[in-house]
Amino acid sequence: MKISDVRLTVVGIPRHTGFVSKHAIVELFTDEGITGIGEMSDFSHLPQFSLDVNDLTAVLKTILLGKNPFDISLINKQLLSNFPEMMFYYEKGNFIRNGVDAALHDVCGKAWNTSVADFIGGRIKDKIKVCYPIFRHRFMEEVQENLAVVRTRFAQGFDTFRLYVGKNLDADEAFLDAVRQEFGSKVTIKSLDFSHLLDWKEAWRATKRLSQYDFELIESPAIQNDFDGLRHFRLKVDHPVSEHVWSFRQQYEMIRHDSVDIFNISPIFIGGLTAARKVAAAAEVAGKGCLLGTTQELSIGTAAMAHLGASLSNLNFTSDPTGPELYVSDVVKNPVNYENGYLLVPGRETPGLGMELDWESIEKYRVPDLSWGNISVHRLQDRTAQTKA
C-alpha cells in the first residue's frame, strides 16, 4: 500500500462562546482505496501567525507520497525533520504532525479492520473520565454566566469541572464559593488551571487564597519552560501539580528537575499519537501520573485521544477532552459520545478512528485559509467572543 494523495480542508467552527476555531482536516488517500483522516486542531491560538494551506499541502506531498502508511515511525521522523519541536506550548509544527500521524493510524486500522486502540496495543478501558472546562473570569459578571454553564452541563451528566484561573481572583473565589453552596459534593473541581499566565510565586499566592475550596490538582502554575519555578511551586503546595508536554526535551527537564507529579499528554501538543505514547512511557518509567489534555478538538482529534487513553495503563487522573461539546457543530456523521461524565471510546466494530466525514457540514463551515483577522490576545487566551478590555 502506498500513499497516493494528500488533501487539507480548513473549517472554522464557532464555539458556544462565540469564538471561531479553525481546524485543518487531513485526508491521506492510498492506492488501495483506503482513506485515512486526521485533524490539525484549533490553529486559532497564539502565536499569532498563520500557515499557507496550499504550501503546506505541497510540502506534505513531498514527504508522504509513495510512502507505505505502515511506516509510521519512519514518516514521523521525516515529519519531525520538517516541522521540528520548538519548546513552545502551541507550536504549529506539532499540530501538523499530529494531524498526519492520526490519519496514518486511521489508514492502518482500516487496512487491518481493527480500531486504533487495538492497533496500538489493545484497549484497557472503554470509557475515560473527563471534565468540562470553565473559562477564565476577567469580570465579576462572568461568575453567574459560568455558574449557569455548570448547571447546564451537570444536568447533562458532567459532574467534574476544570477552572481556568488567575486573571480575577475575586471572581474565581466568588465562582468557587457559589459552586460549593449550590452543588456541595455533587460537583468536583478537578483543577485550577493557570495556563502559564502567572509566574510561580504569583500562582502560589493565588493557590493559597483559593485553597479553602476543594480541588484535586493544579495545572501550569509557572511561566512556560520555567522548570525550577515549577519545582519550587510543587514543593510549597499540598496538591499534585500537572504540566502539559510539548516537547521531549521539555519532558526530560521536568523529570530531571522533579517539577511535576502529573504529565498532561495531548497528541496535538506533542505531535501525534506516536509521540504521545512515548511521553506516556517516559512518565511511567519516571513514576509520574498521566492525564489526557486538550486544545478542544473536534470529534476526529477527540477520537484519536480516546483511542490513546483506552490503551494506556498509567492514565490515572481525570482527563480533559470535551472539545466536541464546546462547538455548535462537527465535521463527522458520528461525533464522539459522552455518558455520565465519561468519553466513550469508539467501539471495536468501527475500524481506524471510527469517524466518517460529513461533507455537508464541512462545506457549511469551510473557510479558505487559516488567516487571523482582528482577534485580540485576550480573546485568544480565553477562547471567547469577549470584547471588553
Side-chain angles (χ1 to χ4, degrees), residues 76-247:
N76 267 275
K77 183 177 180 180
Q78 293 171 330
L79 288 170
L80 190 59
S81 296
N82 285 271
F83 307 102
E85 292 183 340
M86 302 297 289
M87 290 281 284
F88 186 78
Y89 185 16
Y90 294 105
E91 170 53 42
K92 301 298 192 286
N94 292 351
F95 292 21
I96 294 167
R97 289 186 284 114
N98 172 64
V100 174
D101 189 58
L104 290 171
H105 281 81
D106 193 42
V107 169
C108 294
K110 289 173 177 175
W112 279 7
N113 195 32
T114 189
S115 73
V116 166
D118 292 311
F119 175 71
I120 62 178
R123 63 182 66 205
I124 297 171
K125 55 183 75 71
D126 291 313
K127 60 182 182 178
I128 297 166
K129 182 65 176 176
V130 293
C131 62
Y132 194 87
I134 301 298
F135 291 104
R136 187 169 287 105
H137 301 98
R138 290 183 183 271
F139 308 98
M140 189 61 74
E141 56 263 35
E142 293 170 331
V143 171
Q144 289 303 315
E145 296 171 9
N146 279 336
L147 194 59
V149 172
V150 175
R151 293 190 191 105
T152 299
R153 295 300 175 174
F154 181 74
Q156 295 172 346
F158 293 97
D159 61 359
T160 305
F161 296 85
R162 172 168 57 105
L163 177 62
Y164 289 88
V165 297
K167 279 297 182 181
N168 187 329
L169 290 179
D170 290 339
D172 294 337
E173 187 170 347
F175 172 80
L176 290 168
D177 189 65
V179 169
R180 182 168 64 184
Q181 288 188 41
E182 182 168 342
F183 295 95
S185 61
K186 293 184 292 185
V187 159
T188 297
I189 301 298
K190 187 207 81 171
S191 62
L192 306 182
D193 190 340
F194 287 95
S195 304
H196 318 108
L197 294 181
L198 304 181
D199 67 37
W200 76 266
K201 290 183 180 179
E202 293 174 308
W204 175 53
R205 287 191 287 269
T207 300
K208 284 198 298 181
R209 177 174 173 178
L210 299 177
S211 288
Q212 61 183 298
Y213 303 99
D214 292 331
F215 53 90
E216 294 180 342
L217 57 99
I218 303 161
E219 301 192 68
S220 305
I223 303 301
Q224 287 188 37
N225 299 320
D226 180 8
F227 310 114
D228 285 323
L230 264 178
R231 183 173 186 274
H232 288 313
F233 180 93
R234 177 175 176 250
L235 293 177
K236 283 182 172 292
V237 298
D238 295 326
H239 292 82
V241 175
S242 169
E243 182 56 282
H244 302 76
V245 182
W246 51 78
S247 82

Side-chain angles (χ1 to χ4, degrees), residues 353-366:
L353 295 175
M355 298 287 106
E356 181 182 356
L357 294 178
D358 180 349
W359 282 100
E360 182 177 345
S361 180
I362 291 170
E363 291 301 331
K364 178 179 179 179
Y365 293 103
R366 184 198 288 261

